Amino acid sequence: MKLADRVNKIQPSPTLAIDAKAKALKAQGVDVVGFGAGEPDFDTPANIREAGKAAIDKGFTRYMAVAGADDLKDAIIAKMKRDHGLEYTRDEISVACGAKHSLYNIAQALIQEGDEVIIPAPYWVSYPDQVLLAGGTPVFIKTDEKAGFKISPDQLEKAITPKTKYLIMNSPCNPTGSTYNKEELAAIGKVLLKHEHVLVVADDIYERLIYDGLKFCNIVEAVPALKPRTMVVNGASKTYAMTGWRIGYTCGPKELISAMNKMQSQSTSNATSIAQKAAVEALNGPQGEVDKMRAEFEKRRTYIVERLNGMPGVSCFKSNGAFYVFPDFSALYGKTTPSGKKIENSSDFAAYLLEDAKVALVPGVAFGDDRYARLSYAISMENIKKGMDRIEDAIKNLK
Ligand code: PMP
Ligand code: GLU
């Protein structure tokens, strides 16, 4: 069978692939510690689950408006005002089947063949492939751990060309957990203001998972003049432990939102009716569970960073957001495993840990930096401890 060329331009999502591998091993009875999955281990809070059940009983089981139900749009409008002081109207909001889908719709609606999209690296795995699928060219800005894995205004200035369509900002970041403050965003915004043709996609999906007393800031809050050319993407998955419900949304200029809606009307039609009702409760209801989950993630972050930094040949950046750590394992490259295999890169290291130590993590090469690997701490403290012990032993067994 001859498949479309576009399929060959991309790879399956490596994060989902690793997670599937770990789950398959578990199903076979293997005791795997899975640091692969980027999804909260908590249940969706009870009030949200109840809202989902009530939606079924009340008959919200039919097609919905393509761009999302008005009550969900209003809940998003209220959230953007309450949390960020930003004003949006219903026609500036589009609800999709997860933030991944929102980002996909943006790429499809904006990118022309040959357009460039600037992506700070390390990056979340789906950004480059979504750009490639739309016919665009990803342009990476490599960030440095010493700079907190953040781009500088100077780096951004150098990366912009007449072909640049948009810049993707993701703070807190998957996979580094790095978080930009208001001043840093203002400095980046200053560069963007000089280049009117460059749009901005702000992927704020981890906004509520932020630690060390830091305050989340959105790029439009830092630089209000960017609002007419910024698409703010967010969703229910991470904040409300709702990954399976598939609710994401974009707030942005009317013209683009209406283009995204037109495309969605020919693909998924609308996000699931029941999930939309649950998301209304998530956004409008009590937020206590979010705070509890955040506090638990922070405890785990502190523990895991300390453990990793205590291991010989491992150096771990103290991330302050999301639920990932991104340690540098490259000092171990060149060593040999007990079965005689030489570890040359992050994929070899991840394969060694999975086979010998029964620990799953995602090799850094998937995120654009082969020196590192990503561990999600969205698993119980007990499993984190077990996994850390196993990694420590596996490293000691290297020669
Ligand atoms: N952006 C980032 C940075 C993510 O890590 C994820 C999680 N996969 C998403 C977007 C998409 O999340 P979802 O599609 O579940 O809303
Ligand atoms: N965002 C999560 C991750 O990075 C979920 C998997 C995915 O959609 O890529 O692991």
Side-chain angles (χ1 to χ4, degrees):
M1 191 190 295
K2 172 102 178 75
L3 298 176
D5 288 345
R6 75 177 73 86
V7 180
N8 298 320
K9 285 193 205 167
I10 60 162
Q11 55 172 349
S13 164
T15 42
L16 292 181
I18 302 252
D19 188 38
K21 206 167 169 181
K23 281 180 180 151
L25 282 170
K26 268 186 212 159
Q28 288 164 24
V30 182
D31 172 29
V32 181
V33 178
F35 289 110
E39 69 173 333
D41 53 315
F42 303 105
D43 287 332
T44 303
N47 60 314
I48 302 173
R49 297 200 305 267
E50 288 309 319
K53 290 181 214 167
I56 298 175
D57 292 338
K58 285 184 191 155
F60 289 107
T61 50
R62 299 177 183 276
Y63 291 134
M64 309 285 278
V66 169
D70 281 345
D71 55 352
L72 179 52
K73 286 188 183 176
D74 290 347
I76 294 166
I77 290 168
K79 177 251 179 307
M80 294 305 283
K81 176 89 184 130
R82 178 175 71 229
D83 294 349
H84 314 294
L86 299 175
E87 307 263 2
Y88 289 95
T89 50
R90 285 182 181 171
D91 52 7
E92 292 173 317
I93 290 166
S94 181
V95 176
C97 310
K100 186 185 271 182
H101 186 218
S102 300
L103 292 160
Y104 181 86
N105 282 344
I106 291 172
Q108 291 293 323
L110 280 178
I111 297 173
Q112 297 269 42
E113 201 67 37
D115 279 351
E116 295 173 355
V117 173
I118 300 177
I119 303 175
Y123 46 76
W124 177 45
V125 294
S126 291
Y127 297 147
D129 282 10
Q130 289 192 346
V131 170
L132 289 169
L133 261 183
T137 307
V139 171
F140 301 111
I141 300 180
K142 205 166 169 75
T143 65
D144 189 9
E145 184 176 337
K146 285 193 210 82
F149 289 116
K150 295 177 209 183
I151 59 167
S152 69
D154 207 37
Q155 283 180 304
L156 176 61
E157 183 70 62
K158 288 193 182 111
I160 293 174
T161 75
K163 286 187 183 167
T164 306
K165 191 73 197 189
Y166 57 87
L167 159 74
I168 303 182
M169 288 296 287
N170 174 218
S171 168
C173 169
N174 177 3
T176 63
S178 164
T179 303
Y180 289 79
N181 65 31
K182 193 169 185 176
E183 290 69 41
E184 289 159 346
L185 291 171
I188 286 165
K190 224 170 167 182
V191 175
L192 292 166
L193 289 176
K194 279 198 279 175
H195 300 275
E196 280 181 27
H197 69 291
V198 180
L199 309 179
V200 185
V201 170
D203 180 350
D204 289 357
I205 192 106
Y206 295 103
E207 61 153 333
R208 300 285 288 274
L209 303 179
I210 189 160
Y211 317 120
D212 303 323
L214 294 184
K215 201 180 162 319
F216 173 80
C217 184
N218 166 292
I219 193 159
V220 185
E221 282 176 88
V223 190
L226 286 176
K227 186 164 177 266
R229 51 178 159 125
T230 300
M231 283 65 72
V232 178
V233 173
N234 209 325
S237 288
K238 316 291 170 170
T239 302
Y240 301 103
M242 288 177 70
T243 47
W245 298 77
R246 312 306 302 130
I247 293 289
Y249 57 87
T250 307
C251 307
K254 211 190 306 189
E255 192 186 352
L256 172 66
I257 292 292
S258 117
M260 289 165 69
N261 293 340
K262 181 158 104 178
M263 282 189 325
Q264 184 160 295
S265 78
Q266 298 291 11
S267 57
T268 59
S269 300
N270 58 262
T272 306
S273 55
I274 301 150
Q276 290 197 46
K277 290 291 167 192
V280 171
E281 173 62 21
L283 289 168
N284 289 346
Q287 303 291 305
E289 288 301 310
V290 178
D291 296 332
K292 270 196 229 158
M293 293 189 273
R294 195 210 61 78
E296 179 58 29
F297 282 134
E298 181 160 7
K299 255 195 265 164
R300 297 177 188 174
R301 186 282 320 256
T302 303
Y303 174 79
I304 202 168
V305 168
E306 209 179 291
R307 283 294 305 268
L308 286 163
N309 277 325
M311 297 181 197
V314 184
S315 144
C316 186
F317 171 72
K318 191 177 180 200
S319 60
N320 39 35
F323 38 58
Y324 307 105
V325 282
F326 202 56
D328 183 345
F329 290 108
S330 62
L332 304 172
Y333 300 171
K335 292 189 183 267
T336 308
T337 70
S339 56
K341 277 188 218 143
K342 195 162 170 187
I343 294 187
E344 313 263 19
N345 51 41
S346 63
S347 304
D348 291 348
F349 185 63
Y352 166 58
L353 286 185
L354 189 59
E355 280 156 32
D356 285 41
K358 304 289 175 268
V359 168
L361 43 70
V362 188
V365 66
F367 307 96
D369 201 323
D370 201 30
R371 292 170 292 176
Y372 298 83
R374 189 195 79 177
L375 286 83
S376 156
Y377 49 86
I379 58 172
S380 70
M381 198 63 167
E382 192 192 337
N383 276 326
I384 292 175
K385 285 182 180 159
K386 185 154 90 176
M388 287 297 112
D389 291 345
R390 289 184 183 184
I391 295 176
E392 195 159 31
D393 288 344
I395 289 175
K396 279 186 195 146
N397 291 338
L398 292 173
K399 296 252 162 44

